[in-house]
Amino acid sequence: MTDRVNILIVDDLPEKLLSLQAVLDELGQNLVLAHSGREALRYVMERDFAVILLDVNMPGMDGFETAALIRQRKRSAHIPIIFITAFSDDMHTARGYSLGAVDYILSPVVPEVLRTKVGVFVDLYVIRATAERLAEERIELARAQADRAAAEKATRRSQFLAEASRVLGGSLNLSSILTGLSRLVVPLLGDVGAVLWADEAPEQAQIFLAWRQGDGGEIHDRPAPRAALHGELADAVALTLRDSRSRAFGPEPAGVPLWAEGAAPEGCSAPQLVLGHGALFPLSARGRTLGVLLVARENSATPLAENERDLAQDLANRAAVALDNARLYNNIQEADRRKNDFLAMLAHELRNPLAPIRNAIHLLRHPSAQPAQQSWAYDLIDRQVQHLVRLVDDLLDVARITRGKIQLQLETLDLAHVIASAVEASRPFLEARQHQFVLSKTPEAVLVRVDRTRFAQVLTNLLNNAAKYTPKEGRIELAVERVGAEVLIRVRDNGMGIPAEMLEHVFDMFFQVSRSLDRSEGGLGIGLTMVHRLVQMHGGEVRAFSEGANLGSEFVIRLPVAKPSPAPAPTPIAAEPSAAAATCRVLVVDDNRDAAQSMALVLTQIEHDTRVAFDGPSALAVCEVFQPHVAILDIGLPLMDGYELARQIRKKTWAAGTTLVAVTGYGQESDKLRAETAGFAHHLVKPVAPAVLLKLIADLQRQQPVNAESKKNASGGAVFAE
Ligand code: ADP
């Protein structure tokens, strides 16, 4: 921009132009001369003018027309126009002023007057232009400063988030991530940063705290229990955990103390921090809010700015992902550790009974074994096998129960009957350890809606545990008490008790207070898991209590009391078998030769005519000539599985009266269904107890008496087909 301003002089007469120029030269500005309205318009389009002197009387386009066109153009609409006219009447016509003329001068001009008037407009123009220039410069300056500040802020922000990613992603250890996160807050976002981690039960949540001691002071961090939080703040935290939304908190007149007067958390040497303005941000990942990030200023009256809140929210989002990853990793590690512990214990528990069995067999084989020793050895084998079967049954049971794969057969029963059968089953355990057993019942009958087998299993488990975890000659009590619409069943012992910190875990799968105790009666740490699940399935709850080590334990079941149901129709009493069971032709098919042959021997002992086969095709060949009454088929056979073998047998005309019995290692409902479709009438789960098998055959005989001819043909021996 030059220092001189432009002044436009428009007149069709050159001599008048010259005289005007001479008058105005003194102003020392840049004079532009135009000889017509058209020429004037051209100049106006090219540059800015401080003022235009316009002759009214011009040929062609006169002064008024020229002024009208100047006003129409945006670029020139604001330029002051001074008309020069010989007649003041011209200007008095409204037209001159309506065209925005700012003044007029009568011709011939008085040089002083003209210079003064034009000089005023020149000054105005200069002032305005300078002001504009200054304003523009100021805006430019401000813009540059703002850009620099914004750029600095963006750099600080990205550096902060990069640091945050490094801290949060650098570890899979929850505590170090939580401490790191609280430290990240100070000092960029606030003077106090805290993470309230409520992954477990909220009342056990932990605070990870970081704060700055005075302006520019050192940053400290401490973990502290949440119980220490100040009332209102604790409420806001609970709300954030619940609704997963961030919220600001403002200071009360005196600020918000982090914890109540004199209630500084135990073991936390942090001073009482008084918070000014601050905000809480949820730490949410995969739809769950596991904690809250607190950002606060100590004693400050200004709330967090929007960009600070955005940054804190961004930090909270990144932290939540890192924390969730660490949590998943820890859970996997914990599950893996528990699984390894369990497998080691399972191997140990399964191996335990094998050593005495092996010793007993050795003893039985010895030619000098006395009958008393033999009988002792048989009892031992029987006991140990029962123990093994119980372990395996429990294992299969817990898997099915916890996956909800069993269905309860609910009946309305007198609780006393269920208790009686449970006590019966536990009696050997109670007696073996010479415990005193006390049963206290309610005077009147209490009806409950339960599955009789499963509920007895619950009580047996509790009684057996009481017997197991109480030293010899202890006292075990089962008490029933009716409370309103519920019945409480307490199983109490005066044994080794359960430490307080373990009480809440005893129902966890594979949990055992001690693995080092004498575990000759040991289980797999799944009994109480089954108890818990089964009681839940019955609409009740079970809880464990203990005063501590060696002060005994108590397990209390709460169950709703049932209303009496209509009396069931009397069940017909089964007719007693009229004669001794007849001999029956039984085929046993199993690729485990020991299993097949030992079962055949058991059957032969009571004079059933028995054949054995070890695979499907040879079983079919035996069948053709033997035509069994009962065929007991293992399902997992080589060459042809048990289902296929059953289908083949079913096709034979002679097999119309043959009963097929499936034997499998799995007791799933789906297996039973499959067996039924293949033509099996019964389904037994391995290992089949001899008594169960013999009873099944006896029942079949009762339903379909074996005819005299088959009895005559029966040889009463066992033949093994290869
Ligand atoms: P286990 O097969 O080990 O007995 P449970 O699931 O039945 O498994 O019980 C889990 C753990 O709870 C036991 O290992 C034992 O430490 C503890 N426990 C259960 N019942 C009692 C009791 N009556 N007294 C003391 N401890 C008990």
Side-chain angles (χ1 to χ4, degrees):
M1 187 176 171
T2 67
D3 290 337
R4 288 164 27 128
V5 302
N6 297 323
I7 299 169
L8 180 60
I9 309 169
V10 192
D11 203 317
D12 59 313
L13 301 174
E15 63 278 12
K16 269 175 78 188
L17 272 181
L18 281 176
S19 72
L20 288 171
Q21 186 182 22
V23 172
L24 294 176
D25 253 351
E26 251 185 58
L27 291 174
Q29 304 301 338
N30 185 30
L31 303 176
V32 180
L33 308 179
H35 300 85
S36 67
R38 209 166 291 281
E39 195 183 353
L41 281 176
R42 213 176 50 240
Y43 288 133
V44 163
M45 295 316 297
E46 285 168 6
R47 63 193 100 163
D48 204 13
F49 290 93
V51 59
I52 300 171
L53 295 176
L54 189 54
D55 179 27
V56 173
N57 291 307
M58 288 189 293
M61 192 193 294
D62 72 12
F64 292 137
E65 282 171 286
T66 309
L69 288 171
I70 289 172
R71 288 277 172 265
Q72 272 171 25
R73 287 170 169 76
K74 199 166 163 230
R75 193 170 193 274
S76 55
H78 63 282
I79 305 175
I81 297 172
I82 300 173
F83 285 108
I84 299 172
T85 174
F87 315 100
S88 62
D89 279 1
D90 281 346
M91 289 314 299
H92 289 142
T93 61
R95 205 167 158 221
Y97 288 103
S98 74
L99 290 169
V102 288
D103 211 342
Y104 68 95
I105 288 181
L106 289 178
S107 153
V109 294
V110 181
E112 260 325 293
V113 174
L114 180 66
R115 259 200 303 273
T116 310
K117 287 197 170 181
V118 170
V120 168
F121 288 111
V122 168
D123 287 348
L124 273 176
Y125 181 84
V126 170
I127 291 167
R128 206 184 66 224
T130 314
E132 273 175 12
R133 202 183 63 238
L134 280 178
E136 251 167 45
E137 277 173 7
R138 216 171 294 134
I139 290 169
E140 272 301 305
L141 195 71
R143 200 173 286 152
Q145 279 172 348
D147 281 355
R148 215 170 29 248
E152 269 172 26
K153 201 181 281 171
T155 316
R156 267 211 311 277
R157 187 185 157 96
S158 58
Q159 276 172 351
F160 173 73
L161 290 175
E163 170 68 1
S165 300
R166 195 187 60 73
V167 171
L168 299 172
S171 163
L172 281 167
N173 177 295
L174 265 181
S175 309
S176 60
I177 298 178
L178 290 164
T179 308
L181 175 58
S182 68
R183 282 189 78 106
L184 277 168
V185 169
V186 189
L188 187 67
L189 293 169
D191 309 310
V192 180
V195 190
L196 302 113
W197 187 240
D199 180 16
E200 303 277 320
E203 58 277 9
Q204 284 171 18
Q206 275 262 300
I207 306 180
F208 291 80
L209 187 67
W211 74 97
R212 180 167 57 165
Q213 201 103 64
D215 246 10
E218 213 185 321
I219 299 170
H220 303 272
D221 62 70
R222 296 275 186 289
R226 180 185 174 197
L229 268 196
H230 182 59
E232 233 174 88
L233 202 56
D235 291 348
V237 167
L239 216 60
T240 310
L241 280 173
R242 211 173 316 136
D243 70 5
S244 307
R245 301 219 321 244
S246 67
R247 50 176 42 78
F249 57 86
E252 291 168 335
V256 182
L258 194 54
W259 38 76
E261 194 62 34
E266 217 176 290
C268 175
S269 56
Q272 169 62 298
L273 297 165
V274 179
L275 308 181
H277 272 282
L280 301 170
F281 302 89
L283 294 165
S284 313
R286 291 184 303 133
R288 276 186 66 197
T289 299
L290 302 167
V292 174
L293 175 67
L294 176 149
V295 175
R297 302 219 169 101
E298 207 180 348
N299 299 321
S300 158
T302 4
L304 292 188
E306 197 180 321
N307 62 339
E308 288 170 321
R309 289 188 63 142
D310 285 352
L311 189 55
Q313 184 66 67
D314 202 338
L315 175 65
N317 294 348
R318 284 163 200 246
V321 173
L323 289 165
D324 190 45
N325 284 346
R327 207 171 56 87
L328 282 178
Y329 177 75
N330 288 351
N331 288 353
I332 291 170
Q333 270 201 326
E334 170 62 18
D336 194 44
R337 194 187 57 71
R338 280 220 273 171
K339 191 196 72 195
N340 287 339
D341 281 2
F342 168 72
L343 286 178
M345 186 185 58
L346 179 63
H348 178 248
E349 291 300 317
L350 293 177
R351 200 182 295 127
N352 263 348
L354 298 179
I357 292 177
R358 190 183 268 166
N359 294 342
I361 291 168
H362 180 82
L363 187 106
L364 286 173
R365 283 225 179 95
H366 207 275
S368 66
Q370 302 300 308
Q373 287 176 320
Q374 285 179 344
S375 142
W376 176 84
Y378 289 131
D379 285 350
L380 180 145
I381 293 175
D382 194 28
R383 233 181 8 258
Q384 296 299 331
V385 168
Q386 267 183 36
H387 182 58
L388 271 175
V389 169
R390 206 168 49 238
L391 286 178
V392 176
D393 278 354
D394 276 1
L395 256 186
L396 287 174
D397 248 13
V398 79
R400 278 162 46 211
I401 291 172
T402 51
R403 278 186 287 145
K405 292 258 175 181
I406 64 152
Q407 260 199 329
L408 298 182
Q409 311 288 324
L410 292 178
E411 295 173 84
T412 304
L413 300 171
D414 181 350
L415 180 59
H417 291 163
V418 189
I419 291 177
S421 71
V423 172
E424 206 39 55
S426 294
R427 195 167 294 284
F429 281 89
L430 298 164
E431 283 172 358
R433 298 176 73 96
Q434 294 150 32
H435 292 310
Q436 179 196 358
F437 178 65
V438 184
L439 175 64
S440 38
K441 292 190 273 189
T442 48
E444 74 292 350
V446 178
L447 293 182
V448 283
R449 189 127 181 92
V450 294
D451 178 315
R452 68 169 77 220
T453 319
R454 291 304 184 177
F455 203 73
Q457 186 183 4
V458 165
L459 299 176
T460 314
N461 255 307
L462 295 181
L463 288 171
N464 290 355
N465 273 353
K468 248 191 313 188
Y469 299 110
T470 301
K472 269 189 166 176
E473 299 180 12
R475 180 187 156 94
I476 290 162
E477 202 182 330
L478 192 157
V480 182
E481 186 190 337
R482 193 177 163 154
V483 182
E486 286 183 329
V487 59
L488 305 189
I489 308 162
R490 302 169 190 278
V491 178
R492 201 177 302 149
D493 63 59
N494 63 349
M496 60 199 295
I498 301 168
E501 68 278 11
M502 308 266 186
L503 273 175
E504 60 172 314
H505 295 296
V506 288
F507 297 106
D508 293 353
M509 177 105 76
F510 309 140
F511 179 86
Q512 294 179 317
V513 171
S514 159
R515 297 226 157 117
S516 57
L517 81 169
D518 166 22
R519 301 198 50 84
S520 59
E521 293 289 344
L524 299 169
I526 53 184
L528 287 181
T529 311
M530 278 199 284
V531 165
H532 189 250
R533 187 76 193 105
L534 283 172
V535 171
Q536 265 185 345
M537 287 173 76
H538 279 90
E541 62 159 40
V542 57
R543 297 182 66 184
F545 301 90
S546 174
E547 297 288 313
N550 299 322
L551 293 173
S553 312
E554 184 180 35
F555 288 81
V556 183
I557 299 177
R558 280 175 176 274
L559 203 63
V561 172
K563 291 192 184 61
S565 58
T571 39
I573 296 162
E576 280 297 306
S578 52
T583 298
C584 183
R585 287 197 299 275
V586 186
L587 171 68
V588 179
V589 188
D590 196 327
D591 60 327
N592 179 332
R593 292 174 183 232
D594 286 348
Q597 289 170 345
S598 58
M599 188 183 277
L601 282 172
V602 168
L603 292 166
T604 310
Q605 258 183 346
I606 49 157
E607 303 212 329
H608 288 306
D609 185 9
T610 310
R611 297 283 186 280
V612 170
F614 305 123
D615 59 53
S618 52
L620 273 178
V622 174
C623 276
E624 283 303 332
V625 281
F626 183 56
Q627 300 186 351
H629 297 120
V630 180
I632 301 167
L633 313 183
D634 178 34
I635 294 299
L637 289 173
L639 308 174
M640 176 193 290
D641 72 15
Y643 298 121
E644 182 53 29
L645 177 55
R647 277 190 286 271
Q648 297 289 338
I649 295 176
R650 274 276 156 266
K651 283 189 201 154
K652 310 287 181 190
T653 44
W654 52 260
T658 302
T659 303
L660 300 183
V661 180
V663 179
T664 66
Y666 322 97
Q668 317 280 51
E669 279 306 311
S670 55
D671 297 325
K672 286 190 187 158
L673 204 72
R674 234 184 124 188
E676 237 171 74
T677 349
F680 285 101
H682 297 273
H683 182 246
L684 300 176
V685 178
K686 281 184 191 174
V688 180
V692 171
L693 182 64
L694 294 178
K695 180 170 181 305
L696 175 73
I697 294 176
D699 288 348
L700 288 174
Q701 285 180 306
R702 218 170 292 141
Q703 287 154 15
Q704 274 181 317
V706 175
N707 62 34
E709 190 231 348
S710 67
K711 188 173 166 74
K712 195 173 63 207
N713 286 348
S715 63
V719 178
F720 303 143
E722 293 288 335

PDB file of all heavy atoms in Angstrom, residues 348-363 376 380-381 384 388:
ATOM      1  N   HIS A 348      -3.408 -88.509  40.653  1.00  0.00           N
ATOM      2  CA  HIS A 348      -3.071 -89.001  41.980  1.00  0.00           C
ATOM      3  C   HIS A 348      -4.245 -89.784  42.593  1.00  0.00           C
ATOM      4  O   HIS A 348      -4.090 -90.894  43.093  1.00  0.00           O
ATOM      5  CB  HIS A 348      -2.698 -87.792  42.843  1.00  0.00           C
ATOM      6  CG  HIS A 348      -2.379 -88.138  44.248  1.00  0.00           C
ATOM      7  ND1 HIS A 348      -3.183 -87.769  45.283  1.00  0.00           N
ATOM      8  CD2 HIS A 348      -1.362 -88.834  44.784  1.00  0.00           C
ATOM      9  CE1 HIS A 348      -2.667 -88.215  46.401  1.00  0.00           C
ATOM     10  NE2 HIS A 348      -1.554 -88.859  46.126  1.00  0.00           N
ATOM     11  N   GLU A 349      -5.417 -89.200  42.497  1.00  0.00           N
ATOM     12  CA  GLU A 349      -6.607 -89.820  43.090  1.00  0.00           C
ATOM     13  C   GLU A 349      -6.969 -91.132  42.401  1.00  0.00           C
ATOM     14  O   GLU A 349      -7.426 -92.071  43.033  1.00  0.00           O
ATOM     15  CB  GLU A 349      -7.806 -88.874  42.993  1.00  0.00           C
ATOM     16  CG  GLU A 349      -7.691 -87.659  43.874  1.00  0.00           C
ATOM     17  CD  GLU A 349      -7.582 -88.024  45.341  1.00  0.00           C
ATOM     18  OE1 GLU A 349      -8.317 -88.915  45.788  1.00  0.00           O
ATOM     19  OE2 GLU A 349      -6.726 -87.433  46.021  1.00  0.00           O
ATOM     20  N   LEU A 350      -6.778 -91.176  41.067  1.00  0.00           N
ATOM     21  CA  LEU A 350      -7.112 -92.411  40.348  1.00  0.00           C
ATOM     22  C   LEU A 350      -6.068 -93.491  40.610  1.00  0.00           C
ATOM     23  O   LEU A 350      -6.363 -94.675  40.612  1.00  0.00           O
ATOM     24  CB  LEU A 350      -7.244 -92.149  38.843  1.00  0.00           C
ATOM     25  CG  LEU A 350      -8.429 -91.276  38.431  1.00  0.00           C
ATOM     26  CD1 LEU A 350      -8.412 -91.018  36.927  1.00  0.00           C
ATOM     27  CD2 LEU A 350      -9.755 -91.929  38.809  1.00  0.00           C
ATOM     28  N   ARG A 351      -4.833 -93.044  40.832  1.00  0.00           N
ATOM     29  CA  ARG A 351      -3.769 -94.029  41.044  1.00  0.00           C
ATOM     30  C   ARG A 351      -3.831 -94.606  42.459  1.00  0.00           C
ATOM     31  O   ARG A 351      -3.479 -95.763  42.673  1.00  0.00           O
ATOM     32  CB  ARG A 351      -2.400 -93.385  40.782  1.00  0.00           C
ATOM     33  CG  ARG A 351      -1.359 -94.450  40.522  1.00  0.00           C
ATOM     34  CD  ARG A 351       0.024 -93.888  40.304  1.00  0.00           C
ATOM     35  NE  ARG A 351       0.140 -93.070  39.115  1.00  0.00           N
ATOM     36  CZ  ARG A 351       0.629 -91.842  39.134  1.00  0.00           C
ATOM     37  NH1 ARG A 351       1.019 -91.290  40.269  1.00  0.00           N
ATOM     38  NH2 ARG A 351       0.740 -91.154  38.038  1.00  0.00           N
ATOM     39  N   ASN A 352      -4.285 -93.802  43.412  1.00  0.00           N
ATOM     40  CA  ASN A 352      -4.321 -94.241  44.808  1.00  0.00           C
ATOM     41  C   ASN A 352      -4.925 -95.625  45.032  1.00  0.00           C
ATOM     42  O   ASN A 352      -4.320 -96.459  45.705  1.00  0.00           O
ATOM     43  CB  ASN A 352      -5.096 -93.232  45.650  1.00  0.00           C
ATOM     44  CG  ASN A 352      -4.155 -92.273  46.326  1.00  0.00           C
ATOM     45  OD1 ASN A 352      -2.946 -92.509  46.336  1.00  0.00           O
ATOM     46  ND2 ASN A 352      -4.692 -91.199  46.876  1.00  0.00           N
ATOM     47  N   PRO A 353      -6.103 -95.914  44.500  1.00  0.00           N
ATOM     48  CA  PRO A 353      -6.699 -97.228  44.780  1.00  0.00           C
ATOM     49  C   PRO A 353      -5.996 -98.367  44.050  1.00  0.00           C
ATOM     50  O   PRO A 353      -6.179 -99.532  44.397  1.00  0.00           O
ATOM     51  CB  PRO A 353      -8.129 -97.101  44.239  1.00  0.00           C
ATOM     52  CG  PRO A 353      -8.329 -95.664  43.940  1.00  0.00           C
ATOM     53  CD  PRO A 353      -6.994 -95.067  43.722  1.00  0.00           C
ATOM     54  N   LEU A 354      -5.171 -98.039  43.026  1.00  0.00           N
ATOM     55  CA  LEU A 354      -4.587 -99.113  42.223  1.00  0.00           C
ATOM     56  C   LEU A 354      -3.538 -99.906  43.007  1.00  0.00           C
ATOM     57  O   LEU A 354      -3.444-101.127  42.852  1.00  0.00           O
ATOM     58  CB  LEU A 354      -3.994 -98.550  40.933  1.00  0.00           C
ATOM     59  CG  LEU A 354      -5.039 -97.892  40.028  1.00  0.00           C
ATOM     60  CD1 LEU A 354      -4.365 -97.332  38.777  1.00  0.00           C
ATOM     61  CD2 LEU A 354      -6.114 -98.895  39.628  1.00  0.00           C
ATOM     62  N   ALA A 355      -2.770 -99.224  43.842  1.00  0.00           N
ATOM     63  CA  ALA A 355      -1.711 -99.924  44.579  1.00  0.00           C
ATOM     64  C   ALA A 355      -2.288-101.005  45.495  1.00  0.00           C
ATOM     65  O   ALA A 355      -1.857-102.175  45.427  1.00  0.00           O
ATOM     66  CB  ALA A 355      -0.874 -98.918  45.353  1.00  0.00           C
ATOM     67  N   PRO A 356      -3.302-100.691  46.335  1.00  0.00           N
ATOM     68  CA  PRO A 356      -3.858-101.762  47.177  1.00  0.00           C
ATOM     69  C   PRO A 356      -4.486-102.884  46.348  1.00  0.00           C
ATOM     70  O   PRO A 356      -4.370-104.066  46.732  1.00  0.00           O
ATOM     71  CB  PRO A 356      -4.921-101.059  48.022  1.00  0.00           C
ATOM     72  CG  PRO A 356      -5.020 -99.679  47.540  1.00  0.00           C
ATOM     73  CD  PRO A 356      -3.851 -99.375  46.685  1.00  0.00           C
ATOM     74  N   ILE A 357      -5.100-102.535  45.192  1.00  0.00           N
ATOM     75  CA  ILE A 357      -5.714-103.596  44.369  1.00  0.00           C
ATOM     76  C   ILE A 357      -4.626-104.547  43.875  1.00  0.00           C
ATOM     77  O   ILE A 357      -4.731-105.773  43.947  1.00  0.00           O
ATOM     78  CB  ILE A 357      -6.495-102.993  43.174  1.00  0.00           C
ATOM     79  CG1 ILE A 357      -7.721-102.227  43.679  1.00  0.00           C
ATOM     80  CG2 ILE A 357      -6.896-104.073  42.165  1.00  0.00           C
ATOM     81  CD1 ILE A 357      -8.528-101.517  42.616  1.00  0.00           C
ATOM     82  N   ARG A 358      -3.528-103.934  43.414  1.00  0.00           N
ATOM     83  CA  ARG A 358      -2.436-104.759  42.895  1.00  0.00           C
ATOM     84  C   ARG A 358      -1.886-105.672  44.001  1.00  0.00           C
ATOM     85  O   ARG A 358      -1.641-106.858  43.782  1.00  0.00           O
ATOM     86  CB  ARG A 358      -1.334-103.853  42.354  1.00  0.00           C
ATOM     87  CG  ARG A 358      -0.289-104.607  41.602  1.00  0.00           C
ATOM     88  CD  ARG A 358       0.795-103.682  41.165  1.00  0.00           C
ATOM     89  NE  ARG A 358       0.561-103.151  39.830  1.00  0.00           N
ATOM     90  CZ  ARG A 358       1.243-102.116  39.340  1.00  0.00           C
ATOM     91  NH1 ARG A 358       2.112-101.492  40.075  1.00  0.00           N
ATOM     92  NH2 ARG A 358       1.026-101.743  38.120  1.00  0.00           N
ATOM     93  N   ASN A 359      -1.729-105.110  45.184  1.00  0.00           N
ATOM     94  CA  ASN A 359      -1.214-105.914  46.309  1.00  0.00           C
ATOM     95  C   ASN A 359      -2.168-107.060  46.637  1.00  0.00           C
ATOM     96  O   ASN A 359      -1.743-108.195  46.881  1.00  0.00           O
ATOM     97  CB  ASN A 359      -1.054-105.054  47.562  1.00  0.00           C
ATOM     98  CG  ASN A 359       0.023-104.020  47.354  1.00  0.00           C
ATOM     99  OD1 ASN A 359       0.844-104.161  46.439  1.00  0.00           O
ATOM    100  ND2 ASN A 359       0.013-102.978  48.175  1.00  0.00           N
ATOM    101  N   ALA A 360      -3.472-106.768  46.619  1.00  0.00           N
ATOM    102  CA  ALA A 360      -4.458-107.797  46.960  1.00  0.00           C
ATOM    103  C   ALA A 360      -4.406-108.927  45.937  1.00  0.00           C
ATOM    104  O   ALA A 360      -4.469-110.117  46.296  1.00  0.00           O
ATOM    105  CB  ALA A 360      -5.842-107.177  47.000  1.00  0.00           C
ATOM    106  N   ILE A 361      -4.224-108.568  44.660  1.00  0.00           N
ATOM    107  CA  ILE A 361      -4.169-109.609  43.622  1.00  0.00           C
ATOM    108  C   ILE A 361      -2.939-110.492  43.837  1.00  0.00           C
ATOM    109  O   ILE A 361      -2.995-111.719  43.748  1.00  0.00           O
ATOM    110  CB  ILE A 361      -4.159-108.959  42.226  1.00  0.00           C
ATOM    111  CG1 ILE A 361      -5.524-108.319  41.977  1.00  0.00           C
ATOM    112  CG2 ILE A 361      -3.818-109.967  41.134  1.00  0.00           C
ATOM    113  CD1 ILE A 361      -5.598-107.417  40.791  1.00  0.00           C
ATOM    114  N   HIS A 362      -1.838-109.815  44.151  1.00  0.00           N
ATOM    115  CA  HIS A 362      -0.604-110.559  44.408  1.00  0.00           C
ATOM    116  C   HIS A 362      -0.835-111.582  45.533  1.00  0.00           C
ATOM    117  O   HIS A 362      -0.470-112.750  45.427  1.00  0.00           O
ATOM    118  CB  HIS A 362       0.495-109.565  44.806  1.00  0.00           C
ATOM    119  CG  HIS A 362       1.797-110.209  45.093  1.00  0.00           C
ATOM    120  ND1 HIS A 362       2.681-110.558  44.091  1.00  0.00           N
ATOM    121  CD2 HIS A 362       2.361-110.601  46.270  1.00  0.00           C
ATOM    122  CE1 HIS A 362       3.731-111.131  44.638  1.00  0.00           C
ATOM    123  NE2 HIS A 362       3.558-111.168  45.961  1.00  0.00           N
ATOM    124  N   LEU A 363      -1.507-111.110  46.558  1.00  0.00           N
ATOM    125  CA  LEU A 363      -1.786-111.963  47.711  1.00  0.00           C
ATOM    126  C   LEU A 363      -2.683-113.141  47.316  1.00  0.00           C
ATOM    127  O   LEU A 363      -2.440-114.291  47.684  1.00  0.00           O
ATOM    128  CB  LEU A 363      -2.480-111.119  48.781  1.00  0.00           C
ATOM    129  CG  LEU A 363      -2.702-111.781  50.102  1.00  0.00           C
ATOM    130  CD1 LEU A 363      -1.704-111.186  51.097  1.00  0.00           C
ATOM    131  CD2 LEU A 363      -4.111-111.535  50.608  1.00  0.00           C
ATOM    132  N   TRP A 376     -10.261-111.003  52.993  1.00  0.00           N
ATOM    133  CA  TRP A 376      -9.839-109.616  53.251  1.00  0.00           C
ATOM    134  C   TRP A 376      -9.453-108.930  51.926  1.00  0.00           C
ATOM    135  O   TRP A 376      -9.826-107.790  51.652  1.00  0.00           O
ATOM    136  CB  TRP A 376      -8.665-109.643  54.231  1.00  0.00           C
ATOM    137  CG  TRP A 376      -8.087-108.283  54.499  1.00  0.00           C
ATOM    138  CD1 TRP A 376      -8.543-107.386  55.401  1.00  0.00           C
ATOM    139  CD2 TRP A 376      -6.977-107.688  53.831  1.00  0.00           C
ATOM    140  NE1 TRP A 376      -7.795-106.258  55.345  1.00  0.00           N
ATOM    141  CE2 TRP A 376      -6.813-106.407  54.378  1.00  0.00           C
ATOM    142  CE3 TRP A 376      -6.101-108.107  52.815  1.00  0.00           C
ATOM    143  CZ2 TRP A 376      -5.809-105.534  53.960  1.00  0.00           C
ATOM    144  CZ3 TRP A 376      -5.115-107.239  52.401  1.00  0.00           C
ATOM    145  CH2 TRP A 376      -4.969-105.965  52.967  1.00  0.00           C
ATOM    146  N   LEU A 380     -11.096-105.708  50.089  1.00  0.00           N
ATOM    147  CA  LEU A 380     -10.288-104.531  49.758  1.00  0.00           C
ATOM    148  C   LEU A 380     -10.496-104.130  48.293  1.00  0.00           C
ATOM    149  O   LEU A 380     -10.729-102.957  47.973  1.00  0.00           O
ATOM    150  CB  LEU A 380      -8.814-104.853  50.012  1.00  0.00           C
ATOM    151  CG  LEU A 380      -7.818-103.726  49.712  1.00  0.00           C
ATOM    152  CD1 LEU A 380      -6.682-103.776  50.713  1.00  0.00           C
ATOM    153  CD2 LEU A 380      -7.273-103.795  48.308  1.00  0.00           C
ATOM    154  N   ILE A 381     -10.435-105.139  47.407  1.00  0.00           N
ATOM    155  CA  ILE A 381     -10.603-104.830  45.978  1.00  0.00           C
ATOM    156  C   ILE A 381     -11.976-104.201  45.752  1.00  0.00           C
ATOM    157  O   ILE A 381     -12.107-103.175  45.074  1.00  0.00           O
ATOM    158  CB  ILE A 381     -10.433-106.102  45.116  1.00  0.00           C
ATOM    159  CG1 ILE A 381      -8.976-106.582  45.207  1.00  0.00           C
ATOM    160  CG2 ILE A 381     -10.832-105.837  43.674  1.00  0.00           C
ATOM    161  CD1 ILE A 381      -8.706-107.886  44.507  1.00  0.00           C
ATOM    162  N   GLN A 384     -11.984-100.578  47.003  1.00  0.00           N
ATOM    163  CA  GLN A 384     -11.208 -99.652  46.173  1.00  0.00           C
ATOM    164  C   GLN A 384     -11.873 -99.421  44.824  1.00  0.00           C
ATOM    165  O   GLN A 384     -11.831 -98.316  44.285  1.00  0.00           O
ATOM    166  CB  GLN A 384      -9.767-100.170  45.990  1.00  0.00           C
ATOM    167  CG  GLN A 384      -8.975-100.239  47.276  1.00  0.00           C
ATOM    168  CD  GLN A 384      -8.824 -98.866  47.936  1.00  0.00           C
ATOM    169  OE1 GLN A 384      -8.814 -97.840  47.279  1.00  0.00           O
ATOM    170  NE2 GLN A 384      -8.750 -98.853  49.252  1.00  0.00           N
ATOM    171  N   LEU A 388     -13.102 -95.947  43.143  1.00  0.00           N
ATOM    172  CA  LEU A 388     -12.780 -95.501  41.784  1.00  0.00           C
ATOM    173  C   LEU A 388     -14.044 -95.155  41.007  1.00  0.00           C
ATOM    174  O   LEU A 388     -14.118 -94.137  40.322  1.00  0.00           O
ATOM    175  CB  LEU A 388     -12.039 -96.618  41.041  1.00  0.00           C
ATOM    176  CG  LEU A 388     -10.532 -96.637  41.177  1.00  0.00           C
ATOM    177  CD1 LEU A 388      -9.953 -97.870  40.489  1.00  0.00           C
ATOM    178  CD2 LEU A 388      -9.929 -95.389  40.551  1.00  0.00           C
TER     179      LEU A 388
END
